[in-house]
Amino acid sequence: MTGLVTWARLKSPWLFHFNSASCNNCDIELVDAITPRFDVERFGILVEGSPRHADILVVTGFVNRQAAPRLRRIYEQMSNPKIVIALGSCATSGGIFANSYNAAGPVDRVIPVDVYIPGCPPRPQAIIDGVVKALMKLQSLGGGKK
Amino acid sequence: MDWLYIVKLIVYVVLVGVVAAPNIGLFFTWMHRKLGARMQWRIGPPLYQPWADVVKLLSKETIIPATAHKTTFLVAPPLAVASAVLAIVIMTPFAPPVQVYHISFTGDVIVVLYLLTMPAIAAMIGGSASGNPYASVGVQREMTLIFAYELPFIMAALVPILKVGSLRLADIIGYQLEHGPILFSVSGFLACVVLIMVMQAKLTLPPFDIPDAKTEIVAGPYTEYSGASLALFKLAHAVMLFAVPLFISDLCLGGLIVRSLSDPVTLTLDIVLIVVKLVVLVLIAAFIRFFNPRIRIDQAFGMFWKTATVIAVVALALSFVPLPYF
Amino acid sequence: MIDLSLIMLLMVLAPAIGGFITLGLGRARTAAGAVSSVASFISLLMAGMLVYKLNVEGIAWQAEPKVEVWRIGMAGMTWEFEVTMLNTLSILFTALLGFLIALYSTRYIAKYDGKGYYHSLILWSISAAIVAMMSLNWIPFLVFWEICTLTLFFMVRAGGSEAKMPAYRMLLLLATTDLLMAIGVALAVSQTGSLEIVALTGLSPFMVGLVFTLMLISALAKAGGIPFHTWIPDIAPSSPSSTLALFPGAYDKLLGIFKLAVICHFLIVFAPSYSTAVTVIGMITMLLAVLMAMIQHDIKKLLSFHAVSQVGYMITGIGIGTPLAIAGGLFHMVNNVVFKSCLFLSAGAVIYVTGVKEVERLGGLAKKMPVTFTCALIAALAISGVPPLNGFASKWMIYQAAFEATSISPVNAAAGIVAVLASALTLASFIKYLHSVFLGPLPKEFEGVRDVPLSMKAPMVVLAALCLVFGLFPQIPLNYLILPSLNNLNIVWGVPQALPLDWLYLAPSSWASWSPVVATFIALFALALGSLLYTAGRRIQPFTFRAEGVKPFVSGEDLVVHYHGGHFYGPVKLSFKRFYEVAEMGGFSIAWRAVASAFKPLLRSPRNGVFFVYALWIIVLIIILMVGVGT
């Protein structure tokens, strides 16, 4: 039974994308990944509109003080098991906005992060690679965060 | 109390409703996605994708927000699945000489008509119960959409009923066995066109996916649903993807007719025809879906109340003409 | 066994005497409530025994099932009262609703100054309605019909100062239409020379048309058919919900449609084209009323427009005229009484608890008032015609009859289409009602509300249970009450004896083979499967349900927003702009405006107006008497 469930979770990861004060470049690259050229739907990846429907939270941007509580709320509104991917240099480490006056820190200061995808912006190939690593983490954890 | 009858009924319900219907529905879901992918020069998901989606959703946590009314919130998804499954159970009579089950009764067309609207009603009740403003807007749009397509739907469904003169699905299918599908007549063709338009709206597929507009209202009535309850709604949607084309096939295309069980040639031919009819309808739905953007609710209203209603009225008027191909 | 005449006597006298007792009790609310409940319960018991007797003694299935029991000699004439299956149907529900509303009003009237005479009015209306339904002669029929109108007038006025003018307008309209009926009766009596209702068969064709029109007008006005419906939404906002549940919910339909069935039975044989007219009136009523209901903001007004719309179904059923159609119309009359009253009572419960009647200010009450919500949900689904509730059963009969009768006239197909459409619109309106009042987030001001007391909950629960029972086992009301009453209308039914209640079978009759129990079994099976899936998910994911403090998803904001249903039908209102503009300007209240302009001087002085109309009425009555006695 657990084997079936783990297989299903691997084969059907649904994304929710949140932009926390990003310059939009990473968002553009993420959207590129679902275009026909890269076609992530063949892995079963869908981008969903409501965080309650999603397994993977993809966060871009360096998280300013306005976005931080909202990011926290959205993370809590997702249903377990869930995985967080920090997309782009800003999300991973703050990037060029690291010492900004309104930075609430990179993403892992607000919510726990599983996979970091560096790059400014990361190419869609890197994004797909990161998502695959996230799925492998899901598999190794035997079901992801509980 | 005839126990054998009850046992047979239960077996039939389980086989058709629990085993066959959801699986066929999920298969049609895959067909839609694969076709869309191919039309967009993509590869698209593998065959097992919808099943993986459902199992994954079942294994996730169901969150009930504080503003939701717990019982209504949780009862709505199984209700949607139950009505779609019941519709399919009622809609699968075979015409003579093969009577698989005497399950067709007078007036069952009306019952099926109502049951096909029930999943939308359940979605609305669930959406209202969740207490989310996006869900409320989704409920409003869904209800307005139902209001829009109900009139052409009844009028178009009335055309086969009036032609056959009976409210019984088995009679309608039997009539088509003798006289050829209702599609091969002017009024029947027009009725079929209207029914296909209404099918798009019933399945909330583009151009009528207004209640489920991702970019506008997040996820419409399903916004607060997660985990097993969402899985049941997706299952209901999949079963509807099978039920509505089956309804149109029964009314206009001749339905699930098997002419004789003994002759292998006609048997194979008939089974192939059954599959072809359903698949063609699903393909039409998929094509319309991937070629069209979403339209606004007031445009949808105008489209149904003006265009579709006029076509349906013409079809109804023509169905009274006693000439052969009308 | 008790003698039949004793049963009938108790049935009528118990509430009448109870009425006087409660009048004497005045302000002692609980005592008055108890007395009225007991008196109406006695009436209900007697009505039940009547039904039992008629069925058990096999009278129900005779060719003309009736029991002529009373003959009262008064003023040199004999007044006859009989009990037929047809009026037993109405009497049973009159008594039932009277009892339930008497129980409900025990607490509810506290909101309206606890006037003791309210209970008397309920009890007297029970008696008056029952006597009217039993009358075989015109004079007692007219007199007691009018007494019902009078009690309704006072019950509406109990709503306070803002109920005064609407009550008066209603009285004016109803008295005028009843006057027209009295004139019709006078004409009929003058021609046939008899004061008996059955004598209507002896009219000349020209008279048939005239008399039928006059009586139709009054039946429509009482029940609420367009264009005589305006009084119902008019009195709705200000009158107590128990009044609305009793009269527009129940008695007006039971009296009005009963009378419509009777006059159609006697007169339409001569003029079949009139049945088309009746069907058309029914169609217009169904559709127009529900379109108006969709945009209302006041919950009682919304429900009252739906009451009008449901009457359209009954009128259509009787207009179509085939046995199935009339059975459907009568069954719908019964079902409407059940679910409409339940809805009015639940609205009354909401108003009792919150004091608010606008849709915009309510919300989320389902959690605080679970019993009220469940009853309202069941009744709302029933009125929308959702299987397997009772509304679906009767609506289905009407649809089937309409589509099968297309060979008689294509108008019937159109009637069927309009009926299904109106059903969808009813659903739309009730989704809005449930969403805005019961579901969604709870406004802060209603944090401390609790559900209504037991005496108010019990009637709603009984009615909701009846919705379920009549929907799951439609054989019970059909076989014991409705099909036998068709024999009174000289309609030969296909089944000569009552069908057995083999509830797991698809009912073996030739055209009503839907087995709701099988369907419910399948639905329950699916629900069980669903819960199985829920628990399966729970085993994989241990913390499956968490609800503490989880806010809804509003794009990450910390908001609790209620998008109430007040603006739900903005797009619809826009698309039907011209229709709603006509309605605003009073295009559909032509009957009322005719009455108002005719009686314009009366409107300024209510007191004199009432007396004037009634004086006119008494004069006509005396004329009838003289004509009837003279010949």
Tab-separated table of all heavy atoms in Angstrom, chain B residues 154-178:
chain	number	residue	atom	x	y	z
B	154	ILE	N	-33.117	21.405	-22.007
B	154	ILE	CA	-34.401	20.714	-21.989
B	154	ILE	C	-34.987	20.631	-23.371
B	154	ILE	O	-35.507	19.590	-23.787
B	154	ILE	CB	-35.426	21.461	-21.111
B	154	ILE	CG1	-34.844	21.824	-19.779
B	154	ILE	CG2	-36.676	20.653	-20.933
B	154	ILE	CD1	-35.645	22.884	-19.123
B	155	MET	N	-34.912	21.752	-24.103
B	155	MET	CA	-35.540	21.759	-25.415
B	155	MET	C	-34.859	20.772	-26.341
B	155	MET	O	-35.512	20.033	-27.078
B	155	MET	CB	-35.509	23.177	-25.998
B	155	MET	CG	-36.435	24.104	-25.246
B	155	MET	SD	-37.023	25.463	-26.242
B	155	MET	CE	-35.674	26.552	-26.044
B	156	ALA	N	-33.533	20.708	-26.287
B	156	ALA	CA	-32.825	19.776	-27.166
B	156	ALA	C	-33.090	18.340	-26.741
B	156	ALA	O	-33.232	17.453	-27.577
B	156	ALA	CB	-31.331	20.075	-27.138
B	157	ALA	N	-33.170	18.084	-25.434
B	157	ALA	CA	-33.446	16.724	-24.979
B	157	ALA	C	-34.865	16.318	-25.328
B	157	ALA	O	-35.170	15.135	-25.455
B	157	ALA	CB	-33.224	16.618	-23.471
B	158	LEU	N	-35.734	17.314	-25.491
B	158	LEU	CA	-37.131	17.011	-25.798
B	158	LEU	C	-37.292	16.496	-27.220
B	158	LEU	O	-38.237	15.772	-27.523
B	158	LEU	CB	-37.962	18.285	-25.610
B	158	LEU	CG	-39.436	18.108	-25.309
B	158	LEU	CD1	-39.605	17.230	-24.114
B	158	LEU	CD2	-40.067	19.455	-25.075
B	159	VAL	N	-36.370	16.864	-28.119
B	159	VAL	CA	-36.531	16.477	-29.519
B	159	VAL	C	-36.573	14.960	-29.692
B	159	VAL	O	-37.513	14.443	-30.293
B	159	VAL	CB	-35.425	17.122	-30.388
B	159	VAL	CG1	-35.420	16.541	-31.771
B	159	VAL	CG2	-35.610	18.615	-30.442
B	160	PRO	N	-35.604	14.204	-29.166
B	160	PRO	CA	-35.725	12.742	-29.296
B	160	PRO	C	-36.959	12.208	-28.578
B	160	PRO	O	-37.594	11.269	-29.047
B	160	PRO	CB	-34.452	12.206	-28.640
B	160	PRO	CG	-33.544	13.339	-28.518
B	160	PRO	CD	-34.352	14.572	-28.491
B	161	ILE	N	-37.296	12.810	-27.426
B	161	ILE	CA	-38.445	12.325	-26.660
B	161	ILE	C	-39.720	12.455	-27.472
B	161	ILE	O	-40.532	11.533	-27.543
B	161	ILE	CB	-38.568	13.110	-25.336
B	161	ILE	CG1	-37.382	12.811	-24.442
B	161	ILE	CG2	-39.860	12.770	-24.634
B	161	ILE	CD1	-37.357	13.619	-23.180
B	162	LEU	N	-39.882	13.617	-28.137
B	162	LEU	CA	-41.102	13.823	-28.899
B	162	LEU	C	-41.120	12.946	-30.147
B	162	LEU	O	-42.169	12.444	-30.543
B	162	LEU	CB	-41.219	15.300	-29.291
B	162	LEU	CG	-41.588	16.220	-28.133
B	162	LEU	CD1	-41.659	17.643	-28.616
B	162	LEU	CD2	-42.914	15.810	-27.524
B	163	LYS	N	-39.949	12.763	-30.750
B	163	LYS	CA	-39.906	11.917	-31.943
B	163	LYS	C	-40.312	10.486	-31.617
B	163	LYS	O	-41.039	9.851	-32.362
B	163	LYS	CB	-38.490	11.893	-32.516
B	163	LYS	CG	-38.216	12.974	-33.504
B	163	LYS	CD	-36.824	12.799	-34.064
B	163	LYS	CE	-36.800	12.860	-35.556
B	163	LYS	NZ	-37.414	14.027	-36.127
B	164	VAL	N	-39.791	10.003	-30.480
B	164	VAL	CA	-40.064	8.615	-30.120
B	164	VAL	C	-41.425	8.501	-29.449
B	164	VAL	O	-42.085	7.482	-29.533
B	164	VAL	CB	-38.948	8.103	-29.185
B	164	VAL	CG1	-39.240	6.714	-28.712
B	164	VAL	CG2	-37.630	8.171	-29.885
B	165	GLY	N	-41.821	9.569	-28.760
B	165	GLY	CA	-43.104	9.570	-28.088
B	165	GLY	C	-43.069	8.855	-26.760
B	165	GLY	O	-44.087	8.435	-26.240
B	166	SER	N	-41.868	8.708	-26.187
B	166	SER	CA	-41.803	7.997	-24.909
B	166	SER	C	-40.719	8.619	-24.056
B	166	SER	O	-39.745	9.171	-24.560
B	166	SER	CB	-41.476	6.528	-25.152
B	166	SER	OG	-40.965	5.952	-23.979
B	167	LEU	N	-40.899	8.513	-22.747
B	167	LEU	CA	-39.912	9.081	-21.839
B	167	LEU	C	-38.961	8.019	-21.323
B	167	LEU	O	-38.335	8.196	-20.288
B	167	LEU	CB	-40.627	9.740	-20.655
B	167	LEU	CG	-41.129	11.141	-20.909
B	167	LEU	CD1	-42.026	11.565	-19.773
B	167	LEU	CD2	-39.974	12.111	-20.987
B	168	ARG	N	-38.865	6.914	-22.034
B	168	ARG	CA	-38.073	5.796	-21.522
B	168	ARG	C	-36.841	5.645	-22.391
B	168	ARG	O	-36.935	5.547	-23.615
B	168	ARG	CB	-38.930	4.537	-21.634
B	168	ARG	CG	-38.665	3.524	-20.601
B	168	ARG	CD	-39.772	2.476	-20.609
B	168	ARG	NE	-39.221	1.250	-20.063
B	168	ARG	CZ	-39.036	0.140	-20.744
B	168	ARG	NH1	-39.398	0.069	-22.009
B	168	ARG	NH2	-38.494	-0.900	-20.186
B	169	LEU	N	-35.655	5.599	-21.775
B	169	LEU	CA	-34.415	5.514	-22.544
B	169	LEU	C	-34.375	4.263	-23.407
B	169	LEU	O	-33.901	4.298	-24.546
B	169	LEU	CB	-33.209	5.519	-21.597
B	169	LEU	CG	-32.608	6.887	-21.311
B	169	LEU	CD1	-31.480	6.761	-20.328
B	169	LEU	CD2	-32.112	7.526	-22.590
B	170	ALA	N	-34.862	3.147	-22.877
B	170	ALA	CA	-34.825	1.911	-23.660
B	170	ALA	C	-35.677	2.063	-24.920
B	170	ALA	O	-35.320	1.559	-25.991
B	170	ALA	CB	-35.313	0.745	-22.815
B	171	ASP	N	-36.798	2.790	-24.797
B	171	ASP	CA	-37.635	3.024	-25.983
B	171	ASP	C	-36.917	3.885	-27.002
B	171	ASP	O	-36.992	3.646	-28.210
B	171	ASP	CB	-38.948	3.716	-25.582
B	171	ASP	CG	-39.858	2.787	-24.816
B	171	ASP	OD1	-39.632	1.572	-24.892
B	171	ASP	OD2	-40.776	3.291	-24.153
B	172	ILE	N	-36.227	4.929	-26.497
B	172	ILE	CA	-35.513	5.822	-27.415
B	172	ILE	C	-34.427	5.048	-28.146
B	172	ILE	O	-34.238	5.183	-29.366
B	172	ILE	CB	-34.920	7.017	-26.642
B	172	ILE	CG1	-36.035	7.848	-26.028
B	172	ILE	CG2	-34.057	7.870	-27.537
B	172	ILE	CD1	-35.554	9.014	-25.221
B	173	ILE	N	-33.715	4.201	-27.412
B	173	ILE	CA	-32.648	3.433	-28.056
B	173	ILE	C	-33.241	2.417	-29.024
B	173	ILE	O	-32.740	2.218	-30.133
B	173	ILE	CB	-31.784	2.741	-26.992
B	173	ILE	CG1	-31.088	3.799	-26.147
B	173	ILE	CG2	-30.768	1.836	-27.634
B	173	ILE	CD1	-30.224	3.251	-25.067
B	174	GLY	N	-34.372	1.817	-28.618
B	174	GLY	CA	-35.029	0.851	-29.500
B	174	GLY	C	-35.493	1.509	-30.788
B	174	GLY	O	-35.360	0.949	-31.887
B	175	TYR	N	-36.027	2.732	-30.679
B	175	TYR	CA	-36.462	3.471	-31.857
B	175	TYR	C	-35.294	3.705	-32.805
B	175	TYR	O	-35.400	3.560	-34.020
B	175	TYR	CB	-37.058	4.803	-31.390
B	175	TYR	CG	-37.449	5.752	-32.492
B	175	TYR	CD1	-38.731	5.753	-33.010
B	175	TYR	CD2	-36.543	6.679	-32.996
B	175	TYR	CE1	-39.100	6.632	-34.003
B	175	TYR	CE2	-36.897	7.550	-33.993
B	175	TYR	CZ	-38.179	7.529	-34.488
B	175	TYR	OH	-38.538	8.403	-35.477
B	176	GLN	N	-34.136	4.053	-32.200
B	176	GLN	CA	-32.994	4.333	-33.048
B	176	GLN	C	-32.445	3.070	-33.675
B	176	GLN	O	-31.802	3.110	-34.729
B	176	GLN	CB	-31.907	5.035	-32.235
B	176	GLN	CG	-32.350	6.407	-31.801
B	176	GLN	CD	-31.282	7.127	-31.040
B	176	GLN	OE1	-30.358	7.668	-31.609
B	176	GLN	NE2	-31.408	7.125	-29.722
B	177	LEU	N	-32.694	1.932	-33.037
B	177	LEU	CA	-32.263	0.659	-33.607
B	177	LEU	C	-33.024	0.394	-34.899
B	177	LEU	O	-32.474	-0.100	-35.882
B	177	LEU	CB	-32.539	-0.460	-32.591
B	177	LEU	CG	-31.901	-1.806	-32.873
B	177	LEU	CD1	-30.407	-1.677	-32.915
B	177	LEU	CD2	-32.315	-2.786	-31.793
B	178	GLU	N	-34.326	0.777	-34.893
B	178	GLU	CA	-35.123	0.522	-36.097
B	178	GLU	C	-34.978	1.602	-37.139
B	178	GLU	O	-34.850	1.326	-38.319
B	178	GLU	CB	-36.600	0.444	-35.701
B	178	GLU	CG	-36.954	-0.754	-34.862
B	178	GLU	CD	-38.385	-0.617	-34.352
B	178	GLU	OE1	-39.238	-0.198	-35.143
B	178	GLU	OE2	-38.614	-0.896	-33.179
